[in-house]
Structure formats: structure tokens, C-alpha cells
Amino acid sequence: MSNPDRNSFSTSIREILHKYNLPPPEDLLQNPPSKHQWKTTFRNATTDYWEST
């Protein structure tokens, strides 16, 4: 991962994952979910976030 520069791609991804209460990128890289599992997890996380907001 790159340094925590506000303009970096990895920082943007980290912020998005944190916003939707998803696992950090390091965890996803070490144990990648299947495409179907990731789509379901991401869809549920974003839906939960926007319903509560």
C-alpha cells in the first residue's frame, strides 16, 4: 500500500471501504472473496449505509 496521501488511489479505496464498513484492503488481498460473494457483500453494505443515512 502507498503512503497515506489524500490523492492516492489506495487512500481513496481505503476511505470507500471504511465508509461502507467493509474490510480493509489488506484483508481483501490476503483472503479475496469470490466475485459473487463480493458483489453481494458490497451491495448489502451500500444499501445498509444509504438506508441509515
Side-chain angles (χ1 to χ4, degrees):
M1 291 282 146
S2 67
N3 293 334
D5 176 16
R6 299 288 280 148
N7 296 324
S8 72
F9 177 74
S10 61
T11 300
S12 298
I13 296 300
R14 186 178 308 279
E15 289 173 355
I16 290 169
L17 291 172
H18 180 71
K19 176 179 182 175
Y20 295 115
N21 199 24
L22 292 165
E26 295 86 357
D27 293 350
L28 295 171
L29 289 172
Q30 289 177 358
N31 189 16
S34 68
K35 182 177 180 178
H36 177 70
Q37 183 182 16
W38 176 247
K39 286 176 73 172
T40 302
T41 301
F42 189 78
R43 187 179 321 116
N44 291 339
T46 55
T47 300
D48 291 346
Y49 173 81
W50 288 109
E51 283 179 353
S52 68
T53 298

mmCIF file of all heavy atoms in Angstrom:
data_model
loop_
_atom_site.group_PDB
_atom_site.id
_atom_site.type_symbol
_atom_site.label_atom_id
_atom_site.label_comp_id
_atom_site.label_asym_id
_atom_site.label_seq_id
_atom_site.Cartn_x
_atom_site.Cartn_y
_atom_site.Cartn_z
ATOM 1 N N MET A 1 0.839 -1.180 0.000
ATOM 2 C CA MET A 1 0.000 0.000 0.000
ATOM 3 C C MET A 1 0.888 1.249 0.000
ATOM 4 O O MET A 1 1.969 1.249 0.555
ATOM 5 C CB MET A 1 -0.897 0.008 1.232
ATOM 6 C CG MET A 1 -1.958 -1.054 1.213
ATOM 7 S SD MET A 1 -3.240 -0.489 0.128
ATOM 8 C CE MET A 1 -3.816 -1.942 -0.605
ATOM 9 N N SER A 2 0.384 2.273 -0.588
ATOM 10 C CA SER A 2 1.147 3.509 -0.670
ATOM 11 C C SER A 2 1.034 4.299 0.624
ATOM 12 O O SER A 2 0.272 3.962 1.524
ATOM 13 C CB SER A 2 0.651 4.352 -1.838
ATOM 14 O OG SER A 2 -0.648 4.802 -1.591
ATOM 15 N N ASN A 3 1.811 5.380 0.691
ATOM 16 C CA ASN A 3 1.733 6.275 1.843
ATOM 17 C C ASN A 3 0.346 6.913 1.906
ATOM 18 O O ASN A 3 -0.326 7.065 0.896
ATOM 19 C CB ASN A 3 2.794 7.371 1.730
ATOM 20 C CG ASN A 3 4.182 6.813 1.860
ATOM 21 O OD1 ASN A 3 4.396 5.777 2.467
ATOM 22 N ND2 ASN A 3 5.137 7.498 1.267
ATOM 23 N N PRO A 4 -0.087 7.306 3.087
ATOM 24 C CA PRO A 4 -1.440 7.873 3.224
ATOM 25 C C PRO A 4 -1.565 9.284 2.648
ATOM 26 O O PRO A 4 -1.833 10.241 3.352
ATOM 27 C CB PRO A 4 -1.685 7.839 4.730
ATOM 28 C CG PRO A 4 -0.343 7.808 5.350
ATOM 29 C CD PRO A 4 0.569 7.136 4.360
ATOM 30 N N ASP A 5 -1.370 9.412 1.358
ATOM 31 C CA ASP A 5 -1.520 10.679 0.657
ATOM 32 C C ASP A 5 -2.993 10.807 0.248
ATOM 33 O O ASP A 5 -3.568 9.885 -0.319
ATOM 34 C CB ASP A 5 -0.612 10.684 -0.570
ATOM 35 C CG ASP A 5 -0.767 11.917 -1.416
ATOM 36 O OD1 ASP A 5 -1.335 12.915 -0.929
ATOM 37 O OD2 ASP A 5 -0.303 11.894 -2.568
ATOM 38 N N ARG A 6 -3.619 11.909 0.534
ATOM 39 C CA ARG A 6 -5.052 12.089 0.287
ATOM 40 C C ARG A 6 -5.418 11.930 -1.191
ATOM 41 O O ARG A 6 -6.566 11.694 -1.515
ATOM 42 C CB ARG A 6 -5.506 13.473 0.757
ATOM 43 C CG ARG A 6 -5.325 13.742 2.215
ATOM 44 C CD ARG A 6 -6.228 13.044 3.167
ATOM 45 N NE ARG A 6 -7.543 13.584 3.349
ATOM 46 C CZ ARG A 6 -8.594 12.811 3.618
ATOM 47 N NH1 ARG A 6 -8.475 11.528 3.663
ATOM 48 N NH2 ARG A 6 -9.762 13.324 3.848
ATOM 49 N N ASN A 7 -4.452 12.066 -2.101
ATOM 50 C CA ASN A 7 -4.748 11.999 -3.527
ATOM 51 C C ASN A 7 -4.446 10.638 -4.135
ATOM 52 O O ASN A 7 -4.617 10.459 -5.326
ATOM 53 C CB ASN A 7 -3.958 13.072 -4.281
ATOM 54 C CG ASN A 7 -4.373 14.461 -3.860
ATOM 55 O OD1 ASN A 7 -5.538 14.705 -3.582
ATOM 56 N ND2 ASN A 7 -3.429 15.364 -3.780
ATOM 57 N N SER A 8 -4.032 9.684 -3.343
ATOM 58 C CA SER A 8 -3.648 8.397 -3.917
ATOM 59 C C SER A 8 -4.859 7.491 -4.110
ATOM 60 O O SER A 8 -5.871 7.594 -3.414
ATOM 61 C CB SER A 8 -2.613 7.697 -3.037
ATOM 62 O OG SER A 8 -3.201 7.226 -1.862
ATOM 63 N N PHE A 9 -4.736 6.601 -5.061
ATOM 64 C CA PHE A 9 -5.791 5.645 -5.369
ATOM 65 C C PHE A 9 -6.072 4.746 -4.164
ATOM 66 O O PHE A 9 -7.229 4.508 -3.810
ATOM 67 C CB PHE A 9 -5.379 4.809 -6.579
ATOM 68 C CG PHE A 9 -6.368 3.740 -6.922
ATOM 69 C CD1 PHE A 9 -7.576 4.065 -7.518
ATOM 70 C CD2 PHE A 9 -6.084 2.411 -6.666
ATOM 71 C CE1 PHE A 9 -8.490 3.077 -7.839
ATOM 72 C CE2 PHE A 9 -6.995 1.423 -6.985
ATOM 73 C CZ PHE A 9 -8.198 1.752 -7.577
ATOM 74 N N SER A 10 -5.012 4.253 -3.530
ATOM 75 C CA SER A 10 -5.200 3.335 -2.405
ATOM 76 C C SER A 10 -5.881 4.020 -1.223
ATOM 77 O O SER A 10 -6.689 3.400 -0.521
ATOM 78 C CB SER A 10 -3.880 2.705 -1.974
ATOM 79 O OG SER A 10 -2.976 3.683 -1.560
ATOM 80 N N THR A 11 -5.607 5.291 -1.005
ATOM 81 C CA THR A 11 -6.275 6.024 0.070
ATOM 82 C C THR A 11 -7.758 6.194 -0.241
ATOM 83 O O THR A 11 -8.599 6.042 0.645
ATOM 84 C CB THR A 11 -5.610 7.397 0.289
ATOM 85 O OG1 THR A 11 -4.243 7.188 0.629
ATOM 86 C CG2 THR A 11 -6.290 8.175 1.392
ATOM 87 N N SER A 12 -8.072 6.458 -1.484
ATOM 88 C CA SER A 12 -9.481 6.588 -1.877
ATOM 89 C C SER A 12 -10.225 5.272 -1.666
ATOM 90 O O SER A 12 -11.344 5.265 -1.140
ATOM 91 C CB SER A 12 -9.586 6.983 -3.352
ATOM 92 O OG SER A 12 -8.997 8.231 -3.567
ATOM 93 N N ILE A 13 -9.606 4.169 -2.039
ATOM 94 C CA ILE A 13 -10.227 2.855 -1.855
ATOM 95 C C ILE A 13 -10.416 2.560 -0.373
ATOM 96 O O ILE A 13 -11.468 2.098 0.059
ATOM 97 C CB ILE A 13 -9.382 1.754 -2.523
ATOM 98 C CG1 ILE A 13 -9.334 1.957 -4.027
ATOM 99 C CG2 ILE A 13 -9.901 0.367 -2.160
ATOM 100 C CD1 ILE A 13 -10.675 1.932 -4.712
ATOM 101 N N ARG A 14 -9.388 2.860 0.417
ATOM 102 C CA ARG A 14 -9.464 2.629 1.866
ATOM 103 C C ARG A 14 -10.623 3.431 2.484
ATOM 104 O O ARG A 14 -11.368 2.928 3.320
ATOM 105 C CB ARG A 14 -8.141 3.013 2.521
ATOM 106 C CG ARG A 14 -8.030 2.689 3.986
ATOM 107 C CD ARG A 14 -6.681 3.067 4.543
ATOM 108 N NE ARG A 14 -5.568 2.542 3.788
ATOM 109 C CZ ARG A 14 -5.095 1.286 3.901
ATOM 110 N NH1 ARG A 14 -5.645 0.467 4.742
ATOM 111 N NH2 ARG A 14 -4.080 0.895 3.178
ATOM 112 N N GLU A 15 -10.800 4.677 2.053
ATOM 113 C CA GLU A 15 -11.879 5.523 2.576
ATOM 114 C C GLU A 15 -13.257 4.990 2.174
ATOM 115 O O GLU A 15 -14.186 5.009 2.975
ATOM 116 C CB GLU A 15 -11.703 6.961 2.091
ATOM 117 C CG GLU A 15 -10.536 7.662 2.743
ATOM 118 C CD GLU A 15 -10.250 9.036 2.147
ATOM 119 O OE1 GLU A 15 -10.912 9.409 1.149
ATOM 120 O OE2 GLU A 15 -9.366 9.711 2.677
ATOM 121 N N ILE A 16 -13.373 4.506 0.954
ATOM 122 C CA ILE A 16 -14.655 3.948 0.497
ATOM 123 C C ILE A 16 -14.993 2.690 1.294
ATOM 124 O O ILE A 16 -16.127 2.518 1.750
ATOM 125 C CB ILE A 16 -14.604 3.641 -1.010
ATOM 126 C CG1 ILE A 16 -14.568 4.951 -1.802
ATOM 127 C CG2 ILE A 16 -15.798 2.784 -1.437
ATOM 128 C CD1 ILE A 16 -14.261 4.776 -3.273
ATOM 129 N N LEU A 17 -14.009 1.810 1.481
ATOM 130 C CA LEU A 17 -14.244 0.592 2.247
ATOM 131 C C LEU A 17 -14.642 0.931 3.687
ATOM 132 O O LEU A 17 -15.547 0.312 4.245
ATOM 133 C CB LEU A 17 -13.004 -0.302 2.225
ATOM 134 C CG LEU A 17 -12.666 -0.929 0.871
ATOM 135 C CD1 LEU A 17 -11.308 -1.623 0.941
ATOM 136 C CD2 LEU A 17 -13.746 -1.885 0.412
ATOM 137 N N HIS A 18 -13.977 1.918 4.259
ATOM 138 C CA HIS A 18 -14.298 2.329 5.632
ATOM 139 C C HIS A 18 -15.703 2.934 5.707
ATOM 140 O O HIS A 18 -16.466 2.662 6.637
ATOM 141 C CB HIS A 18 -13.247 3.318 6.132
ATOM 142 C CG HIS A 18 -13.500 3.782 7.523
ATOM 143 N ND1 HIS A 18 -13.338 2.975 8.611
ATOM 144 C CD2 HIS A 18 -13.926 4.976 7.994
ATOM 145 C CE1 HIS A 18 -13.651 3.650 9.706
ATOM 146 N NE2 HIS A 18 -14.015 4.876 9.351
ATOM 147 N N LYS A 19 -16.052 3.752 4.727
ATOM 148 C CA LYS A 19 -17.360 4.411 4.698
ATOM 149 C C LYS A 19 -18.490 3.390 4.746
ATOM 150 O O LYS A 19 -19.483 3.578 5.451
ATOM 151 C CB LYS A 19 -17.483 5.249 3.421
ATOM 152 C CG LYS A 19 -18.817 5.910 3.216
ATOM 153 C CD LYS A 19 -18.808 6.725 1.937
ATOM 154 C CE LYS A 19 -20.106 7.439 1.721
ATOM 155 N NZ LYS A 19 -20.044 8.325 0.539
ATOM 156 N N TYR A 20 -18.342 2.300 4.009
ATOM 157 C CA TYR A 20 -19.387 1.285 3.937
ATOM 158 C C TYR A 20 -19.169 0.135 4.915
ATOM 159 O O TYR A 20 -19.832 -0.887 4.826
ATOM 160 C CB TYR A 20 -19.513 0.756 2.512
ATOM 161 C CG TYR A 20 -19.989 1.824 1.554
ATOM 162 C CD1 TYR A 20 -19.170 2.275 0.532
ATOM 163 C CD2 TYR A 20 -21.241 2.396 1.682
ATOM 164 C CE1 TYR A 20 -19.594 3.257 -0.350
ATOM 165 C CE2 TYR A 20 -21.679 3.381 0.821
ATOM 166 C CZ TYR A 20 -20.847 3.801 -0.191
ATOM 167 O OH TYR A 20 -21.274 4.785 -1.050
ATOM 168 N N ASN A 21 -18.244 0.312 5.849
ATOM 169 C CA ASN A 21 -17.971 -0.672 6.887
ATOM 170 C C ASN A 21 -17.577 -2.034 6.301
ATOM 171 O O ASN A 21 -18.063 -3.079 6.730
ATOM 172 C CB ASN A 21 -19.182 -0.814 7.823
ATOM 173 C CG ASN A 21 -18.816 -1.439 9.138
ATOM 174 O OD1 ASN A 21 -17.677 -1.376 9.564
ATOM 175 N ND2 ASN A 21 -19.773 -2.062 9.779
ATOM 176 N N LEU A 22 -16.702 -1.989 5.294
ATOM 177 C CA LEU A 22 -16.196 -3.199 4.658
ATOM 178 C C LEU A 22 -14.778 -3.463 5.156
ATOM 179 O O LEU A 22 -14.135 -2.574 5.715
ATOM 180 C CB LEU A 22 -16.211 -3.024 3.136
ATOM 181 C CG LEU A 22 -17.612 -2.944 2.527
ATOM 182 C CD1 LEU A 22 -17.536 -2.422 1.107
ATOM 183 C CD2 LEU A 22 -18.289 -4.299 2.569
ATOM 184 N N PRO A 23 -14.266 -4.672 4.960
ATOM 185 C CA PRO A 23 -12.924 -4.990 5.454
ATOM 186 C C PRO A 23 -11.846 -4.155 4.758
ATOM 187 O O PRO A 23 -12.024 -3.733 3.612
ATOM 188 C CB PRO A 23 -12.748 -6.476 5.125
ATOM 189 C CG PRO A 23 -13.872 -6.866 4.268
ATOM 190 C CD PRO A 23 -14.905 -5.805 4.310
ATOM 191 N N PRO A 24 -10.729 -3.923 5.427
ATOM 192 C CA PRO A 24 -9.642 -3.148 4.818
ATOM 193 C C PRO A 24 -9.038 -3.879 3.621
ATOM 194 O O PRO A 24 -9.171 -5.105 3.501
ATOM 195 C CB PRO A 24 -8.626 -3.005 5.950
ATOM 196 C CG PRO A 24 -8.994 -4.011 6.960
ATOM 197 C CD PRO A 24 -10.429 -4.360 6.767
ATOM 198 N N PRO A 25 -8.384 -3.146 2.727
ATOM 199 C CA PRO A 25 -7.839 -3.756 1.511
ATOM 200 C C PRO A 25 -6.827 -4.867 1.793
ATOM 201 O O PRO A 25 -6.748 -5.825 1.035
ATOM 202 C CB PRO A 25 -7.198 -2.595 0.755
ATOM 203 C CG PRO A 25 -7.247 -1.427 1.633
ATOM 204 C CD PRO A 25 -8.162 -1.711 2.766
ATOM 205 N N GLU A 26 -6.075 -4.747 2.875
ATOM 206 C CA GLU A 26 -5.094 -5.789 3.195
ATOM 207 C C GLU A 26 -5.793 -7.127 3.423
ATOM 208 O O GLU A 26 -5.321 -8.167 2.959
ATOM 209 C CB GLU A 26 -4.276 -5.415 4.436
ATOM 210 C CG GLU A 26 -3.394 -4.204 4.268
ATOM 211 C CD GLU A 26 -4.106 -2.882 4.555
ATOM 212 O OE1 GLU A 26 -5.332 -2.883 4.836
ATOM 213 O OE2 GLU A 26 -3.439 -1.845 4.489
ATOM 214 N N ASP A 27 -6.921 -7.104 4.134
ATOM 215 C CA ASP A 27 -7.683 -8.331 4.381
ATOM 216 C C ASP A 27 -8.241 -8.901 3.083
ATOM 217 O O ASP A 27 -8.254 -10.117 2.878
ATOM 218 C CB ASP A 27 -8.825 -8.084 5.356
ATOM 219 C CG ASP A 27 -8.355 -7.747 6.757
ATOM 220 O OD1 ASP A 27 -7.140 -7.886 7.036
ATOM 221 O OD2 ASP A 27 -9.205 -7.347 7.573
ATOM 222 N N LEU A 28 -8.712 -8.023 2.217
ATOM 223 C CA LEU A 28 -9.262 -8.478 0.942
ATOM 224 C C LEU A 28 -8.187 -9.070 0.040
ATOM 225 O O LEU A 28 -8.447 -10.018 -0.707
ATOM 226 C CB LEU A 28 -9.973 -7.322 0.230
ATOM 227 C CG LEU A 28 -11.215 -6.786 0.937
ATOM 228 C CD1 LEU A 28 -11.696 -5.515 0.262
ATOM 229 C CD2 LEU A 28 -12.311 -7.838 0.949
ATOM 230 N N LEU A 29 -6.980 -8.521 0.113
ATOM 231 C CA LEU A 29 -5.885 -9.064 -0.687
ATOM 232 C C LEU A 29 -5.401 -10.404 -0.153
ATOM 233 O O LEU A 29 -5.037 -11.290 -0.929
ATOM 234 C CB LEU A 29 -4.715 -8.073 -0.740
ATOM 235 C CG LEU A 29 -4.951 -6.828 -1.573
ATOM 236 C CD1 LEU A 29 -3.812 -5.840 -1.390
ATOM 237 C CD2 LEU A 29 -5.118 -7.191 -3.032
ATOM 238 N N GLN A 30 -5.401 -10.567 1.157
ATOM 239 C CA GLN A 30 -4.951 -11.822 1.752
ATOM 240 C C GLN A 30 -5.982 -12.932 1.586
ATOM 241 O O GLN A 30 -5.621 -14.097 1.457
ATOM 242 C CB GLN A 30 -4.640 -11.626 3.236
ATOM 243 C CG GLN A 30 -3.406 -10.815 3.480
ATOM 244 C CD GLN A 30 -3.167 -10.574 4.957
ATOM 245 O OE1 GLN A 30 -3.950 -10.982 5.809
ATOM 246 N NE2 GLN A 30 -2.076 -9.894 5.261
ATOM 247 N N ASN A 31 -7.243 -12.587 1.627
ATOM 248 C CA ASN A 31 -8.311 -13.570 1.519
ATOM 249 C C ASN A 31 -9.377 -13.037 0.569
ATOM 250 O O ASN A 31 -10.445 -12.602 1.004
ATOM 251 C CB ASN A 31 -8.899 -13.857 2.907
ATOM 252 C CG ASN A 31 -9.852 -15.011 2.891
ATOM 253 O OD1 ASN A 31 -9.879 -15.794 1.958
ATOM 254 N ND2 ASN A 31 -10.663 -15.103 3.925
ATOM 255 N N PRO A 32 -9.120 -13.051 -0.747
ATOM 256 C CA PRO A 32 -10.063 -12.441 -1.681
ATOM 257 C C PRO A 32 -11.373 -13.221 -1.772
ATOM 258 O O PRO A 32 -11.374 -14.442 -1.866
ATOM 259 C CB PRO A 32 -9.321 -12.476 -3.020
ATOM 260 C CG PRO A 32 -8.210 -13.428 -2.859
ATOM 261 C CD PRO A 32 -7.947 -13.584 -1.398
ATOM 262 N N PRO A 33 -12.491 -12.490 -1.725
ATOM 263 C CA PRO A 33 -13.791 -13.144 -1.871
ATOM 264 C C PRO A 33 -14.044 -13.483 -3.347
ATOM 265 O O PRO A 33 -13.422 -12.899 -4.246
ATOM 266 C CB PRO A 33 -14.780 -12.090 -1.382
ATOM 267 C CG PRO A 33 -14.092 -10.798 -1.618
ATOM 268 C CD PRO A 33 -12.618 -11.070 -1.466
ATOM 269 N N SER A 34 -14.967 -14.397 -3.594
ATOM 270 C CA SER A 34 -15.349 -14.678 -4.976
ATOM 271 C C SER A 34 -16.084 -13.454 -5.532
ATOM 272 O O SER A 34 -16.538 -12.583 -4.780
ATOM 273 C CB SER A 34 -16.262 -15.904 -5.033
ATOM 274 O OG SER A 34 -17.517 -15.609 -4.442
ATOM 275 N N LYS A 35 -16.199 -13.400 -6.838
ATOM 276 C CA LYS A 35 -16.867 -12.260 -7.463
ATOM 277 C C LYS A 35 -18.313 -12.143 -6.970
ATOM 278 O O LYS A 35 -18.774 -11.059 -6.622
ATOM 279 C CB LYS A 35 -16.839 -12.402 -8.981
ATOM 280 C CG LYS A 35 -17.476 -11.247 -9.709
ATOM 281 C CD LYS A 35 -17.368 -11.405 -11.209
ATOM 282 C CE LYS A 35 -18.016 -10.247 -11.919
ATOM 283 N NZ LYS A 35 -17.868 -10.361 -13.370
ATOM 284 N N HIS A 36 -19.013 -13.251 -6.933
ATOM 285 C CA HIS A 36 -20.408 -13.240 -6.484
ATOM 286 C C HIS A 36 -20.506 -12.822 -5.017
ATOM 287 O O HIS A 36 -21.367 -12.011 -4.650
ATOM 288 C CB HIS A 36 -21.039 -14.620 -6.687
ATOM 289 C CG HIS A 36 -22.445 -14.698 -6.185
ATOM 290 N ND1 HIS A 36 -23.485 -14.043 -6.814
ATOM 291 C CD2 HIS A 36 -22.984 -15.316 -5.115
ATOM 292 C CE1 HIS A 36 -24.605 -14.272 -6.143
ATOM 293 N NE2 HIS A 36 -24.328 -15.045 -5.108
ATOM 294 N N GLN A 37 -19.622 -13.361 -4.181
ATOM 295 C CA GLN A 37 -19.629 -13.022 -2.753
ATOM 296 C C GLN A 37 -19.338 -11.537 -2.558
ATOM 297 O O GLN A 37 -19.983 -10.867 -1.752
ATOM 298 C CB GLN A 37 -18.598 -13.868 -2.020
ATOM 299 C CG GLN A 37 -18.556 -13.650 -0.535
ATOM 300 C CD GLN A 37 -17.462 -14.486 0.122
ATOM 301 O OE1 GLN A 37 -16.568 -14.991 -0.546
ATOM 302 N NE2 GLN A 37 -17.543 -14.624 1.425
ATOM 303 N N TRP A 38 -18.369 -10.985 -3.306
ATOM 304 C CA TRP A 38 -18.019 -9.572 -3.177
ATOM 305 C C TRP A 38 -19.167 -8.677 -3.630
ATOM 306 O O TRP A 38 -19.492 -7.689 -2.988
ATOM 307 C CB TRP A 38 -16.744 -9.254 -3.949
ATOM 308 C CG TRP A 38 -16.422 -7.806 -3.897
ATOM 309 C CD1 TRP A 38 -16.425 -6.922 -4.921
ATOM 310 C CD2 TRP A 38 -16.060 -7.042 -2.731
ATOM 311 N NE1 TRP A 38 -16.101 -5.670 -4.474
ATOM 312 C CE2 TRP A 38 -15.872 -5.717 -3.126
ATOM 313 C CE3 TRP A 38 -15.894 -7.374 -1.387
ATOM 314 C CZ2 TRP A 38 -15.513 -4.716 -2.244
ATOM 315 C CZ3 TRP A 38 -15.536 -6.361 -0.508
ATOM 316 C CH2 TRP A 38 -15.348 -5.057 -0.939
ATOM 317 N N LYS A 39 -19.791 -9.026 -4.763
ATOM 318 C CA LYS A 39 -20.910 -8.220 -5.254
ATOM 319 C C LYS A 39 -22.046 -8.188 -4.243
ATOM 320 O O LYS A 39 -22.631 -7.136 -3.989
ATOM 321 C CB LYS A 39 -21.405 -8.766 -6.593
ATOM 322 C CG LYS A 39 -20.478 -8.462 -7.754
ATOM 323 C CD LYS A 39 -20.950 -9.097 -9.034
ATOM 324 C CE LYS A 39 -22.146 -8.379 -9.573
ATOM 325 N NZ LYS A 39 -22.534 -8.850 -10.919
ATOM 326 N N THR A 40 -22.346 -9.323 -3.642
ATOM 327 C CA THR A 40 -23.407 -9.393 -2.639
ATOM 328 C C THR A 40 -23.046 -8.590 -1.398
ATOM 329 O O THR A 40 -23.859 -7.811 -0.889
ATOM 330 C CB THR A 40 -23.687 -10.859 -2.259
ATOM 331 O OG1 THR A 40 -24.048 -11.580 -3.447
ATOM 332 C CG2 THR A 40 -24.796 -10.962 -1.236
ATOM 333 N N THR A 41 -21.826 -8.761 -0.919
ATOM 334 C CA THR A 41 -21.372 -8.040 0.272
ATOM 335 C C THR A 41 -21.396 -6.535 0.037
ATOM 336 O O THR A 41 -21.892 -5.769 0.860
ATOM 337 C CB THR A 41 -19.948 -8.488 0.662
ATOM 338 O OG1 THR A 41 -19.962 -9.894 0.900
ATOM 339 C CG2 THR A 41 -19.441 -7.753 1.891
ATOM 340 N N PHE A 42 -20.868 -6.099 -1.106
ATOM 341 C CA PHE A 42 -20.814 -4.674 -1.406
ATOM 342 C C PHE A 42 -22.212 -4.094 -1.582
ATOM 343 O O PHE A 42 -22.522 -3.021 -1.067
ATOM 344 C CB PHE A 42 -19.966 -4.412 -2.654
ATOM 345 C CG PHE A 42 -19.710 -2.958 -2.886
ATOM 346 C CD1 PHE A 42 -18.743 -2.293 -2.151
ATOM 347 C CD2 PHE A 42 -20.443 -2.244 -3.820
ATOM 348 C CE1 PHE A 42 -18.504 -0.941 -2.345
ATOM 349 C CE2 PHE A 42 -20.213 -0.894 -4.017
ATOM 350 C CZ PHE A 42 -19.244 -0.243 -3.284
ATOM 351 N N ARG A 43 -23.080 -4.800 -2.271
ATOM 352 C CA ARG A 43 -24.450 -4.336 -2.477
ATOM 353 C C ARG A 43 -25.172 -4.186 -1.138
ATOM 354 O O ARG A 43 -25.836 -3.169 -0.890
ATOM 355 C CB ARG A 43 -25.214 -5.295 -3.384
ATOM 356 C CG ARG A 43 -26.591 -4.780 -3.758
ATOM 357 C CD ARG A 43 -27.370 -5.721 -4.687
ATOM 358 N NE ARG A 43 -26.559 -6.340 -5.700
ATOM 359 C CZ ARG A 43 -26.344 -7.665 -5.789
ATOM 360 N NH1 ARG A 43 -26.879 -8.489 -4.921
ATOM 361 N NH2 ARG A 43 -25.595 -8.145 -6.768
ATOM 362 N N ASN A 44 -25.033 -5.168 -0.277
ATOM 363 C CA ASN A 44 -25.683 -5.096 1.037
ATOM 364 C C ASN A 44 -25.115 -3.966 1.886
ATOM 365 O O ASN A 44 -25.864 -3.259 2.568
ATOM 366 C CB ASN A 44 -25.541 -6.425 1.774
ATOM 367 C CG ASN A 44 -26.351 -7.527 1.145
ATOM 368 O OD1 ASN A 44 -27.295 -7.271 0.413
ATOM 369 N ND2 ASN A 44 -25.974 -8.760 1.409
ATOM 370 N N ALA A 45 -23.796 -3.784 1.859
ATOM 371 C CA ALA A 45 -23.160 -2.727 2.655
ATOM 372 C C ALA A 45 -23.597 -1.345 2.183
ATOM 373 O O ALA A 45 -23.900 -0.474 3.007
ATOM 374 C CB ALA A 45 -21.644 -2.861 2.592
ATOM 375 N N THR A 46 -23.636 -1.136 0.873
ATOM 376 C CA THR A 46 -24.036 0.177 0.367
ATOM 377 C C THR A 46 -25.519 0.434 0.629
ATOM 378 O O THR A 46 -25.901 1.547 0.978
ATOM 379 C CB THR A 46 -23.721 0.335 -1.128
ATOM 380 O OG1 THR A 46 -24.327 -0.729 -1.862
ATOM 381 C CG2 THR A 46 -22.227 0.362 -1.375
ATOM 382 N N THR A 47 -26.342 -0.585 0.481
ATOM 383 C CA THR A 47 -27.771 -0.432 0.766
ATOM 384 C C THR A 47 -27.987 -0.088 2.237
ATOM 385 O O THR A 47 -28.748 0.834 2.559
ATOM 386 C CB THR A 47 -28.540 -1.720 0.405
ATOM 387 O OG1 THR A 47 -28.358 -1.986 -0.988
ATOM 388 C CG2 THR A 47 -30.019 -1.573 0.707
ATOM 389 N N ASP A 48 -27.311 -0.807 3.123
ATOM 390 C CA ASP A 48 -27.432 -0.518 4.569
ATOM 391 C C ASP A 48 -26.992 0.905 4.886
ATOM 392 O O ASP A 48 -27.634 1.606 5.658
ATOM 393 C CB ASP A 48 -26.599 -1.499 5.390
ATOM 394 C CG ASP A 48 -27.164 -2.911 5.368
ATOM 395 O OD1 ASP A 48 -28.327 -3.085 4.951
ATOM 396 O OD2 ASP A 48 -26.423 -3.819 5.768
ATOM 397 N N TYR A 49 -25.883 1.341 4.269
ATOM 398 C CA TYR A 49 -25.365 2.680 4.531
ATOM 399 C C TYR A 49 -26.389 3.746 4.098
ATOM 400 O O TYR A 49 -26.692 4.663 4.869
ATOM 401 C CB TYR A 49 -24.053 2.900 3.786
ATOM 402 C CG TYR A 49 -23.550 4.316 3.882
ATOM 403 C CD1 TYR A 49 -22.865 4.752 5.003
ATOM 404 C CD2 TYR A 49 -23.783 5.241 2.860
ATOM 405 C CE1 TYR A 49 -22.415 6.052 5.120
ATOM 406 C CE2 TYR A 49 -23.347 6.554 2.949
ATOM 407 C CZ TYR A 49 -22.664 6.947 4.084
ATOM 408 O OH TYR A 49 -22.230 8.240 4.198
ATOM 409 N N TRP A 50 -26.915 3.614 2.889
ATOM 410 C CA TRP A 50 -27.817 4.646 2.390
ATOM 411 C C TRP A 50 -29.191 4.599 3.035
ATOM 412 O O TRP A 50 -29.867 5.625 3.124
ATOM 413 C CB TRP A 50 -27.905 4.568 0.855
ATOM 414 C CG TRP A 50 -26.628 5.066 0.255
ATOM 415 C CD1 TRP A 50 -25.681 4.315 -0.368
ATOM 416 C CD2 TRP A 50 -26.116 6.401 0.291
ATOM 417 N NE1 TRP A 50 -24.623 5.106 -0.737
ATOM 418 C CE2 TRP A 50 -24.872 6.385 -0.355
ATOM 419 C CE3 TRP A 50 -26.596 7.599 0.795
ATOM 420 C CZ2 TRP A 50 -24.094 7.539 -0.505
ATOM 421 C CZ3 TRP A 50 -25.819 8.746 0.651
ATOM 422 C CH2 TRP A 50 -24.593 8.702 0.002
ATOM 423 N N GLU A 51 -29.615 3.441 3.505
ATOM 424 C CA GLU A 51 -30.889 3.381 4.224
ATOM 425 C C GLU A 51 -30.765 4.055 5.600
ATOM 426 O O GLU A 51 -31.713 4.645 6.084
ATOM 427 C CB GLU A 51 -31.340 1.932 4.398
ATOM 428 C CG GLU A 51 -31.917 1.349 3.134
ATOM 429 C CD GLU A 51 -32.345 -0.093 3.282
ATOM 430 O OE1 GLU A 51 -32.072 -0.707 4.334
ATOM 431 O OE2 GLU A 51 -32.953 -0.610 2.334
ATOM 432 N N SER A 52 -29.586 3.948 6.209
ATOM 433 C CA SER A 52 -29.404 4.564 7.522
ATOM 434 C C SER A 52 -29.047 6.050 7.431
ATOM 435 O O SER A 52 -29.145 6.759 8.417
ATOM 436 C CB SER A 52 -28.319 3.819 8.311
ATOM 437 O OG SER A 52 -27.061 4.007 7.716
ATOM 438 N N THR A 53 -28.655 6.502 6.264
ATOM 439 C CA THR A 53 -28.254 7.908 6.097
ATOM 440 C C THR A 53 -29.397 8.787 5.721
ATOM 441 O O THR A 53 -30.388 8.719 5.420
ATOM 442 C CB THR A 53 -27.170 8.033 5.010
ATOM 443 O OG1 THR A 53 -26.050 7.328 5.423
ATOM 444 C CG2 THR A 53 -26.784 9.474 4.777
#
